[in-house]
Amino acid sequence: MPVLQRIPPTPAPSKDALGCAASKLDVNQEFEGGGLTFYRKSTGNEQFGNVSTPASDRGFLVGVALRGGHRRRILHGNHASTHDFDNGSIYIRDFTEDYRADLQGGFDFLLVEMSRAFIERVNDEKGGPRVSSLLPMNGQSDPVLGALAQVMTQVLDRPAETSSLFVDHVSLAIGTHLLSEYGAGATAGWGDTGGGRVLSRKLEVRAKDMLLAAMRDDSSIADIAEACNLSRSYFIKAFRQTVGTTPHRWLLEQRVQKAKEHLRVPGRSITEIALQCGFADQAHMTRVFASVVGVSPGAWRREHGI
């Protein structure tokens, strides 16, 4: 008599921190910066299946669709709701609630995980009414978050080329927008006293010195603001009012000026100059240089007969 053998069941695909079967994803990226965690999840799989996460104290998750054609059926106890997502549509969910959803159609999402501590920090920096949570959303269009999500995809694609100063700016913009548009649980807060915000000469020098040091150690804007005894938001606004541009843009311009000095020296390779001036590589320097000067480093060097 033949012996029957027990065939073990095929193990279910492992799921990541957001409840996705990682093996089914075509793009699965993660980046932490500016107090937020960013993810990009993308697949062409029309029958992706379900996602689920148990309740936790992780805060909130904001999803921004980078393309249309996606539908999800969200299960709420004994009932369900179905939502369609176009390019720029968003959802917001609270991690304190169990989450289950069936995903239909391929998708491409930029996801932002926001802790309650980050919300409190934005409350402190923006002033005005304070909020304690975000309203749940599913499928609503938000062009502002859609545009910011596109910016963050570039960061996820090339994290080595991105400074923490830039990520701080984008993170603060995302946080401020979310709290302003979808904040809940408002309490009495404090408002802006008005008037111009400028840095004293001493603080301007200190801030610029630290930004220049960021060419080497990539100091965050929070560190610089703390050194000036200012909140991050106040520092950004005061720096722009004083200098005429944001800290990140000013730093890029200084790197370009330093690159010009090196480019004047015959025989120096652009790759070598890029690394010495704080750029990730030659391609990174070329993009920034062209955005500031209007031509590539090589073209600028030729124009000046070097």
Side-chain angles (χ1 to χ4, degrees):
M1 175 181 289
V3 178
L4 296 177
Q5 293 183 337
R6 181 183 179 88
I7 301 176
T10 302
S14 61
K15 294 193 173 183
D16 61 22
L18 297 181
C20 292
S23 61
K24 295 183 178 181
L25 292 168
D26 299 327
V27 178
N28 188 14
Q29 300 170 322
E30 181 176 345
F31 179 86
E32 293 186 15
L36 299 173
T37 302
F38 298 92
Y39 308 87
R40 186 174 183 183
K41 309 283 185 182
S42 177
T43 183
N45 192 333
E46 296 292 322
Q47 303 297 325
F48 187 81
N50 63 73
V51 296
S52 62
T53 54
S56 68
D57 61 354
R58 291 166 59 182
F60 297 86
L61 184 68
V62 181
V64 186
L66 300 172
R67 69 169 185 253
H70 174 64
R71 171 177 292 181
R72 65 178 54 197
R73 180 171 176 267
I74 303 175
L75 307 175
H76 314 272
N78 295 323
H79 68 282
S81 60
T82 300
H83 307 274
D84 293 317
F85 289 82
D86 296 321
N87 187 9
S89 297
I90 71 165
Y91 71 79
I92 301 175
R93 66 181 180 91
D94 191 333
F95 274 118
T96 59
E97 299 177 0
D98 291 332
Y99 185 82
R100 292 183 299 150
D102 293 324
L103 309 188
Q104 303 166 17
F107 58 83
D108 190 358
F109 275 91
L110 189 284
L111 304 157
V112 185
E113 183 173 336
M114 177 180 293
S115 68
R116 285 180 165 78
F118 181 85
I119 290 177
E120 285 304 305
R121 194 170 84 187
V122 175
N123 274 323
D124 291 340
E125 295 186 0
K126 76 179 180 64
R130 301 177 70 85
V131 302
S132 59
S133 61
L134 299 177
L135 296 170
M137 295 287 158
N138 279 297
Q140 286 82 354
S141 175
D142 191 318
V144 173
L145 283 181
L148 291 171
Q150 292 292 341
V151 172
M152 284 308 303
T153 61
Q154 302 302 309
V155 174
L156 287 162
D157 285 340
R158 296 189 293 272
E161 298 179 11
T162 306
S163 75
S164 59
L165 291 171
F166 178 74
V167 176
D168 281 345
H169 278 297
V170 179
S171 297
L172 181 59
I174 290 173
T176 301
H177 177 75
L178 285 168
L179 266 62
S180 297
E181 295 296 319
Y182 310 106
T187 59
W190 44 270
D192 193 342
T193 58
R197 296 180 171 188
V198 295
L199 297 175
S200 68
R201 178 58 182 166
K202 180 179 180 180
L203 290 184
E204 180 185 352
V205 171
R206 180 183 302 172
K208 287 181 175 179
D209 285 344
M210 292 187 70
L211 283 166
L212 290 173
M215 288 187 180
R216 297 181 295 275
D217 59 21
D218 202 22
S219 300
S220 75
I221 198 167
D223 295 334
I224 298 172
E226 183 178 356
C228 296
N229 293 317
L230 299 172
S231 72
R232 182 175 60 171
S233 177
Y234 190 102
F235 168 74
I236 293 171
K237 293 175 182 177
F239 188 97
R240 185 168 189 171
Q241 186 72 20
T242 305
V243 181
T245 188
T246 63
H248 175 69
R249 182 67 179 182
W250 183 86
L251 178 58
L252 289 181
E253 291 172 352
Q254 299 310 303
R255 287 177 172 171
V256 168
Q257 290 303 316
K258 184 177 180 181
K260 284 182 178 180
E261 294 174 8
H262 288 293
L263 285 168
R264 293 181 187 277
V265 180
R268 301 288 299 279
S269 73
I270 294 178
T271 298
E272 179 186 359
I273 293 171
L275 297 178
Q276 289 183 341
C277 294
F279 297 101
D281 53 29
Q282 178 178 340
H284 182 210
M285 173 176 155
T286 298
R287 283 194 297 273
V288 174
F289 194 99
S291 72
V292 174
V293 181
V295 297
S296 68
W300 185 88
R301 178 180 254 175
R302 289 191 295 273
E303 287 177 2
H304 289 76
I306 301 169

